[in-house]
């Protein structure tokens, strides 16, 4: 039984071992760091661009395509307006035409320039004598002592909002900490005196400011959500964090979503208990595969985590196509248990420990001849070892000409011939030399032994 379990677990892990761990997906077309060029088949949900042509993952030689989502940055409408100004032919798109109509901007084919058909506040907004005097007095009260730039900086303005002329001022007040606070105040609202307004050519800066004003006010043009798909291809638009999202559901609130990729045929589940109730974990089969979990960082936006999994299932029918798994909201991620917490009994989460029935008793394979080990061998064979030739080798190598307890002698004979006989002389050193040498050798041996054992 254990051998079978190990074989099944090894087969499941072998199918995905080459894919386990972090990896970088192949970026989708149109993406660049900090930008994305929408395609014609993308879908828009407000500032969210959903693209079915997302990154590509490779599992077991199989290319797995996943969608992606991006959130346009706040300055994206200004970039889109610049692209429309430079490419007038895109004005026929439904979303772009709606945007231009709200902004009262048109393209004059005769002059080859963009023109504004909106009324001009300078010619369409006027105050009568009494209203003009009251307006000037009000401006003076904002500035202090009748001057516009005494305590505050006051800038008068008039503009058209919802076909009405508004007269007001922007008051710039100096704060106690040295900073400035700007406040717009409306004095009076009057009907327009002229609704037609002469057509006037627009510069690129004016065109962008009309379509995408710096400060959005009621009635100001808003970029329709399908404008990015009608821009010239490719037109990169700026995106912002936390996008891109990997494998999200289409919608205005995208979230990362895992994807399950099968890597083989279903195998019998060794933890299946036929006597227990059927549950998501207690199934007779399991489908081996790889779970692609998005795990992006700021520097690696297309990073994923390849996780080998064994997903329990009721039948032996194999899963042939990748399947999406439910995503999680960022605030709920810490509360969601992972696969092994929800399925602690599956083979992929055993951590090398397989629960099985107990092993049978182990038979006696041999009988120890020396139960006491090396100590018993020495006690029984010590005398025989001492009589062996190897043990007595040291005694045979020792010199035999020396008498124990006597100093060695060194006699040099100088009798060369009958006519040259000079006697014999003992040149051996004094006996105390040998005692000193013995002491030095012993101390040196002790120091060498300490160095070899303890180092240093």
């Amino acid at each position: 039984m254990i051998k079978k379990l190990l074989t099944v677990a090894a087969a499941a892990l072998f199918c995905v071992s080459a894919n386990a761990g972090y990896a970088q997906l192949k970026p989708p077309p149109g993406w660049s760091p900090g930008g994305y060029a929408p395609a014609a088949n993308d879908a828009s949900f407000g500032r969210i661009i959903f693209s079915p042509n997302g990154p590509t993952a490779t599992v077991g030689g199989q290319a797995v395509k996943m969608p992606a989502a991006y959130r346009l940055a706040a300055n994206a409408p200004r970039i889109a307006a610049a692209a429309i100004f430079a490419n007038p032919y895109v004005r026929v798109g439904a979303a772009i035409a709606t945007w231009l109509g709200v902004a009262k901007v048109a393209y004059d084919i005769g002059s080859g320039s963009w023109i504004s058909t909106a009324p001009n506040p300078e010619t369409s907004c006027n105050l009568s004598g009494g209203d003009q005097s009251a307006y000037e007095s009000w401006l003076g009260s904002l500035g202090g002592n009748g001057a516009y730039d005494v305590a505050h900086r006051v800038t008068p303005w008039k503009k058209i909002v919802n076909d009405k002329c508004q007269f007001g001022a922007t008051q710039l007040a100096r704060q106690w900490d040295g900073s400035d606070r700007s406040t717009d105040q409306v004095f009076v609202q009057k009907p327009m005196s002229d609704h037609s307004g002469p057509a006037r050519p627009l510069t690129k800066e004016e065109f962008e400011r009309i379509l995408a004003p710096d400060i959005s006010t009621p009635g100001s043009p808003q970029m329709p959500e399908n404008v990015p798909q009608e821009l010239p291809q490719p037109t990169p638009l700026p995106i912002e964090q936390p996008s891109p999202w990997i494998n999200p559901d289409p919608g205005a609130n995208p979230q990362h979503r895992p994807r399950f990729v099968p890597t083989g045929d279903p195998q019998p589940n060794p933890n299946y208990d036929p006597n227990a109730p059927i549950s998501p974990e207690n199934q007779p089969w399991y489908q081996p595969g790889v779970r692609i979990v998005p795990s992006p960082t700021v520097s690696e936006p297309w990073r994923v985590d390849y996780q080998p999994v064994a997903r329990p299932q009721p039948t032996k029918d194999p899963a042939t196509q990748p399947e999406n798994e439910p995503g999680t909201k960022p605030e709920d991620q810490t509360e969601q248990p992972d696969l092994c917490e929800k399925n602690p009994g599956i083979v992929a989460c055993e951590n090398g420990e397989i629960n099985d029935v107990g092993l049978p008793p182990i038979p006696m394979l041999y009988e120890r001849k020396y139960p006491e080990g090396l100590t018993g061998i020495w006690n029984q064979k010590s005398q025989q070892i001492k009589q062996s030739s190897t043990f007595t080798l040291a005694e045979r190598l020792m010199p035999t000409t020396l008498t124990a307890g006597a100093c060695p002698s060194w006699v040099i004979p100088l009798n060369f011939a009958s006519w040259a006989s000079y006697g014999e002389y003992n040149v051996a050193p004094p006996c105390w030399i040998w005692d000193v040498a013995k002491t030095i050798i012993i101390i040196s041996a002790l120091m060498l032994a300490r160095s070899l054992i303890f180092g240093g």
Side-chain angles (χ1 to χ4, degrees):
M1 181 64 179
I2 291 181
K3 181 178 180 181
K4 180 180 179 181
L5 291 178
L6 293 175
T7 302
V8 171
L13 293 177
F14 176 77
C15 295
V16 297
S17 60
N19 302 97
Y22 292 114
Q24 280 287 336
L25 300 182
K26 180 181 179 182
W31 177 85
S32 60
Y36 174 68
N41 62 338
D42 290 350
S44 295
F45 303 90
R47 290 172 57 188
I48 301 298
I49 303 294
F50 177 84
S51 172
N53 303 316
T56 302
T58 302
V59 178
Q62 177 185 4
V64 181
K65 179 73 72 174
M66 293 184 291
Y70 314 87
R71 184 166 67 189
L72 297 178
N75 61 334
R78 183 64 63 93
I79 305 300
I84 297 173
F85 183 88
N87 301 273
Y89 67 90
V90 299
R91 68 186 185 278
V92 297
I96 295 179
T98 301
W99 196 15
L100 296 174
V102 172
K104 294 181 172 57
V105 173
Y107 185 72
D108 184 15
I109 300 178
S111 62
S113 61
W114 292 97
I115 59 175
S116 173
T117 59
N120 188 350
E122 297 299 326
T123 58
S124 301
C125 297
N126 298 286
L127 291 174
S128 62
D131 291 335
Q132 182 66 29
S133 299
Y135 179 48
E136 293 178 356
S137 299
W138 177 75
L139 292 175
S141 66
L142 293 180
N145 298 328
Y148 292 173
D149 200 5
V150 178
H152 310 84
R153 181 180 301 245
V154 177
T155 304
W157 49 257
K158 54 183 177 179
K159 55 187 176 182
I160 299 174
V161 179
N162 296 331
D163 293 333
K164 297 288 185 178
C165 291
Q166 288 186 355
F167 297 82
T170 300
Q171 186 180 36
L172 187 65
R174 181 62 54 88
Q175 304 297 300
W176 62 271
D177 59 355
S179 62
D180 293 331
R181 179 171 60 89
S182 178
T183 305
D184 281 342
Q185 299 188 45
V186 178
F187 172 70
V188 69
Q189 182 171 281
K190 294 287 186 177
M192 286 190 300
S193 58
D194 182 8
H195 287 265
S196 59
R200 56 188 180 90
L202 297 175
T203 64
K204 179 175 180 292
E205 290 73 18
E206 291 176 330
F207 182 87
E208 295 175 5
R209 188 169 57 251
I210 293 175
L211 263 66
D214 296 327
I215 300 176
S216 180
T217 59
S220 62
Q222 301 293 325
M223 184 180 74
E225 60 181 21
N226 290 326
V227 166
Q229 290 87 321
E230 298 177 358
L231 296 175
Q233 300 295 327
T235 300
L237 298 178
I239 59 176
E240 62 185 13
Q241 296 292 332
S243 61
W245 289 277
I246 302 175
N247 195 38
D249 278 322
N253 297 300
Q255 302 294 336
H256 296 294
R257 184 174 53 170
R259 192 169 178 85
F260 176 80
V261 182
T263 57
D265 293 332
Q267 301 294 327
N269 187 355
N271 296 301
Y272 172 62
D273 185 0
N275 299 321
I278 295 296
S279 65
E281 294 78 19
N282 189 35
Q283 299 287 344
W285 302 91
Y286 74 84
Q287 172 68 59
V290 175
R291 189 170 184 252
I292 305 175
V293 181
S295 182
T297 63
V298 175
S299 59
E300 298 176 332
W302 302 109
R303 191 183 76 165
V304 295
D305 183 13
Y306 286 103
Q307 299 177 356
V309 296
R311 190 173 64 179
Q313 63 181 40
T315 66
K316 194 180 179 181
D317 298 334
T320 58
Q321 298 296 328
E323 303 174 4
N324 291 326
E325 295 187 356
T328 56
K329 296 182 180 180
E331 60 270 16
D332 297 335
Q333 288 182 353
T334 57
E335 302 177 359
Q336 297 295 327
D338 61 14
L339 178 67
C340 290
E341 291 178 348
K342 295 189 296 184
N343 307 278
I346 63 176
V347 175
C349 301
E350 287 288 351
N351 296 325
E353 298 179 3
I354 301 178
N355 299 321
D356 202 354
V357 297
L359 293 173
I362 300 176
M364 182 66 67
L365 301 179
Y366 69 96
E367 184 176 354
R368 299 180 63 182
K369 187 175 181 180
Y370 301 97
E372 299 179 1
L374 293 177
T375 303
I377 296 176
W378 177 257
N379 293 336
Q380 295 182 22
K381 302 294 184 178
S382 60
Q383 294 301 323
Q384 182 179 350
I385 293 174
K386 292 179 180 180
Q387 299 300 325
S388 64
S389 58
T390 301
F391 198 83
T392 59
L393 178 61
E395 295 181 359
R396 294 201 303 270
L397 293 177
M398 292 297 294
T400 58
T401 57
L402 299 179
T403 302
C407 297
S409 62
W410 188 3
V411 178
I412 299 177
L414 299 178
N415 298 323
F416 303 107
S418 58
W419 50 269
S421 179
Y422 302 105
E424 294 180 352
Y425 296 92
N426 187 353
V427 297
C431 287
W432 62 269
I433 291 295
W434 304 107
D435 294 333
V436 174
K438 174 183 176 181
T439 303
I440 294 175
I441 292 175
I442 292 174
I443 295 176
S444 300
L446 290 174
M447 296 177 63
L448 177 61
R450 185 208 63 81
S451 177
L452 292 177
I453 295 174
F454 301 105

